[in-house]
Amino acid sequence: MKISELAAESGVPLATVKFYLREGLLMPGQAVSRTQADYDQEHVARVKLVKTLSQQPGFSYQLIGRILDLVADEERPAPQRLGEAMAQLPPGPGTADDIPRARALAKELDLALDESSSCVSHLEAALAAPDDVGLPCSTERFQVYWRHIRDLAEFEVKGVAGESSAAASLQHAVVGTAIYEPVLLALRRLAHQQVYSGEL
Amino acid sequence: MKISELAAESGVPLATVKFYLREGLLMPGQAVSRTQADYDQEHVARVKLVKTLSQQPGFSYQLIGRILDLVADEERPAPQRLGEAMAQLPPGPGTADDIPRARALAKELDLALDESSSCVSHLEAALAAPDDVGLPCSTERFQVYWRHIRDLAEFEVKGVAGESSAAASLQHAVVGTAIYEPVLLALRRLAHQQVYSGEL
């Protein structure tokens, strides 16, 4: 299809599609003449992906490009690419100097912790707030959280394991992690309201 | 204790404590002279609470004041106060004109949905993104999410049910909902990385 059709089909203005092309967020089409190129469904999917991600809090175009490049770099092992792409997700690489809370909880749960992972420094930062307001994360709470979240993660990963290619599945892994966060938070608030209302 | 001791014990600069007082974020102490007041542990807890909340993304002082006022307004029924306070949590009141996705999923799950709740319009907005990137939320996924999140919510609510007073428990409900969100997201990313790395 022509670039104008690509714009129409993905529901994104033509100028925006051209911007994605210039910034390398969208792969070039197949050249059919000096001034025209041919685009396909993969291009439609990519335009929608970039547009949707750009509407999520914390996602700049620069960040989207960095994440998609990391995911697509087939020179390096997949787990490493995944870890690095995940580390880029907003709020970005963690900055904890030390991780005493995360380490203590992981030890109590006998959980192997990759201390270099940015998820671990996010966890450390996240655990400081409950402490500060006098609602500390008990071992029991951590256990219950981890059990549920780990089960959820296994279910979610099964869902992308059937992807057509390793690259698609890796991209879906990172995008799915990010894009379902607001869904889970909305459901949790809904559940809290329901459960509390029954108790109050 | 004196206001300077309050500042020292809560680890917040004196000028900030005075600011909290002026803005009504901190309740006045017990007057002991024309220029001095006496503060207690409840004040320490409040100062820490305001400070910690102000460090969470999306929490302005104005918003913190509004949430704490809503929670404390004992003239109105607790479930209503809870719902309104929850609706204020960032990203703030939802703005969905219609909620077709949330309604369809709730129907499939036979879930009672309070359509006026801001959580429902957040859910609707959150569900649009997975659709747009071609990773739509299947009924099965929604069921699995809801089962885990609902179980988690019941566990979390049990945790605050033992609070000393209804007001404290309501405040902890709202604060706990907000403050544990980053913990859950960090754990989910950690779990995703673990599970995917095993699969890749």
Side-chain angles (χ1 to χ4, degrees):
Chain A
M1 70 186 83
K2 293 182 196 169
I3 191 164
S4 56
E5 293 165 318
L6 169 59
E9 189 161 336
S10 50
V12 169
L14 181 57
T16 306
V17 174
K18 288 182 176 172
F19 169 77
Y20 291 176
L21 270 176
R22 276 199 310 278
E23 296 292 315
L25 295 163
L26 174 64
M27 45 287 186
Q30 183 83 34
V32 291
S33 81
R34 209 175 50 82
T35 55
Q36 264 200 7
D38 189 44
Y39 299 89
D40 60 21
Q41 288 306 321
E42 228 178 292
H43 292 91
V44 175
R46 173 59 75 106
V47 169
K48 286 185 177 174
L49 176 64
V50 172
K51 186 196 163 207
T52 304
L53 285 181
S54 73
Q55 292 167 337
Q56 305 298 306
F59 279 89
S60 64
Y61 286 119
Q62 203 189 5
L63 177 61
I64 295 169
R66 197 155 61 228
I67 290 174
L68 294 177
D69 287 349
L70 274 171
V71 165
D73 176 12
E74 301 197 1
E75 303 267 296
R76 289 176 317 119
Q80 192 182 334
R81 281 187 277 156
L82 179 79
E84 287 172 19
M86 288 264 199
Q88 297 294 323
L89 295 178
T95 53
D97 290 330
D98 196 11
I99 50 161
R101 292 181 179 89
R103 203 178 283 134
L105 284 173
K107 200 178 166 196
E108 285 184 86
L109 263 85
D110 206 17
L111 182 70
L113 216 55
D114 170 8
E115 299 199 357
S116 70
S117 160
S118 80
C119 307
V120 174
S121 57
H122 287 156
L123 178 62
E124 181 70 28
L127 286 169
D131 275 1
D132 290 342
V133 298
L135 293 169
C137 189
S138 63
T139 310
E140 190 198 359
R141 185 191 271 253
F142 196 70
Q143 269 169 339
V144 173
Y145 277 10
W146 182 249
R147 198 172 62 232
H148 281 290
I149 292 293
R150 171 82 201 205
D151 276 5
L152 272 180
E154 280 179 8
F155 168 81
E156 292 176 302
V157 171
K158 258 192 309 179
V160 290
E163 288 302 321
S164 50
S165 73
S169 125
L170 195 61
Q171 182 183 305
H172 274 186
V174 176
V175 171
T177 297
I179 222 120
Y180 272 103
E181 288 185 352
V183 176
L184 282 166
L185 294 188
L187 286 177
R188 178 162 172 267
R189 289 191 188 176
L190 208 61
H192 276 195
Q193 239 182 309
Q194 281 200 356
V195 179
Y196 278 118
S197 294
E199 302 262 329
L200 290 169
Chain B
M1 68 186 85
K2 292 183 198 168
I3 192 166
S4 56
E5 292 164 319
L6 169 58
E9 189 161 336
S10 49
V12 168
L14 181 57
T16 306
V17 174
K18 288 182 176 171
F19 168 76
Y20 291 176
L21 269 176
R22 276 200 309 278
E23 296 291 316
L25 294 164
L26 174 64
M27 48 287 186
Q30 182 81 35
V32 291
S33 80
R34 210 171 51 80
T35 55
Q36 264 201 7
D38 189 44
Y39 300 90
D40 61 20
Q41 287 307 320
E42 228 179 293
H43 292 91
V44 175
R46 173 59 75 105
V47 169
K48 287 184 176 175
L49 176 64
V50 172
K51 185 196 164 205
T52 305
L53 285 180
S54 73
Q55 292 167 336
Q56 304 298 307
F59 279 89
S60 63
Y61 286 118
Q62 204 189 4
L63 177 61
I64 296 170
R66 198 155 59 229
I67 290 174
L68 294 177
D69 286 349
L70 274 171
V71 165
D73 176 12
E74 300 197 1
E75 303 267 298
R76 289 175 318 120
Q80 193 182 335
R81 281 186 277 156
L82 180 78
E84 289 172 17
M86 287 264 200
Q88 297 294 325
L89 295 178
T95 53
D97 290 331
D98 195 11
I99 51 161
R101 292 181 179 89
R103 203 179 283 136
L105 283 173
K107 199 178 167 196
E108 286 184 86
L109 264 84
D110 205 18
L111 182 70
L113 214 56
D114 171 8
E115 299 200 356
S116 68
S117 160
S118 79
C119 306
V120 174
S121 56
H122 287 156
L123 178 61
E124 181 69 28
L127 286 170
D131 274 2
D132 291 342
V133 297
L135 294 168
C137 189
S138 64
T139 309
E140 190 199 359
R141 186 191 272 253
F142 196 70
Q143 268 168 340
V144 172
Y145 277 11
W146 181 250
R147 197 172 62 233
H148 281 290
I149 292 294
R150 170 83 199 199
D151 276 4
L152 272 181
E154 278 178 10
F155 169 80
E156 291 176 303
V157 172
K158 258 192 307 179
V160 290
E163 287 302 322
S164 50
S165 74
S169 124
L170 195 61
Q171 182 183 306
H172 274 184
V174 176
V175 170
T177 298
I179 222 119
Y180 272 102
E181 288 185 352
V183 176
L184 281 166
L185 294 188
L187 286 177
R188 177 161 172 269
R189 289 190 187 176
L190 207 61
H192 276 195
Q193 238 182 313
Q194 281 201 354
V195 179
Y196 278 119
S197 295
E199 301 260 329
L200 291 169

